Amino acid sequence: MSNHLPVLIVGAGPAGLLMACELARHGIAFRIIDKKSTHTPGSNATWIQTRTIELLDQIGLAPGFLRVGHPCKAINLYIDGKSLATIPLNDIDSIYPFILMLPQCDTEKLLIKRLNEFNGKVEWSSELTDIKQEGSNVQSTVNLANGKTEVITSDWVIACDGANSTIREKCHIVFPGEDLTEQFVVADAHIDSFSSKNEIHLFFDEGTLFAASPMGENKYRIAANLH
């Protein structure tokens, strides 16, 4: 089976979903696939920066994000348990002078809801296995959720399939850099604390780092290196 469409989006994380929402808003035909069976279940990426909120505002999505997210208005730095400095974010030249803490699972739910409003949907459990250029078109081989294989041709393929991108690998696109040898523990936890609940806290010691980012109602994203 061979189908042609203007755009194929590979990957239904926040980047792919937002691209799908914008294509739908502008009336451009597309399909969006992801090899996962559903949206991200965990918190994963949690920091939404000021400029991102401004862009969400331009397309009418900011109110929904602000309704469920938790704004942090400063970053506190500590050395050996003692306060070193506070970096205020309210000096940022924006109507959103803060970092919005929001679990990735909630970000994706908001974007999927938006996509559904345009009658768009994600094709879950659909994995791109090969890709090649055919003249002015791109030919993508996809294993579908029903076990069948489909060849999709499109004018464009947008790679939103993450750090271990199949598209990057198949297109022999170099991804410079290397893995860090440092290991970290990352968790969501409920913590009782006297520290400000609308500010991020970073604790440094010799060779160690501990970060606590509040997400509302005594819930924190914590991260620490294991060395």
Side-chain angles (χ1 to χ4, degrees), residues 17 35 103 105 116 140:
L17 288 169
K35 63 182 179 182
C105 54
N116 292 341
S140 303

Side-chain angles (χ1 to χ4, degrees), residues 15 36 181-182:
K36 302 192 304 295
T181 57
E182 187 73 80

Side-chain angles (χ1 to χ4, degrees), residues 12 17 21 38-40 105-118 120-122 124:
L17 288 169
C21 290
T38 187
H39 62 78
T40 300
C105 54
D106 293 332
T107 293
E108 293 184 8
K109 288 176 184 177
L110 287 166
L111 293 174
I112 289 171
K113 179 182 177 182
R114 170 76 160 186
L115 184 59
N116 292 341
E117 291 172 358
F118 291 108
K121 65 176 183 178
V122 178
W124 301 109

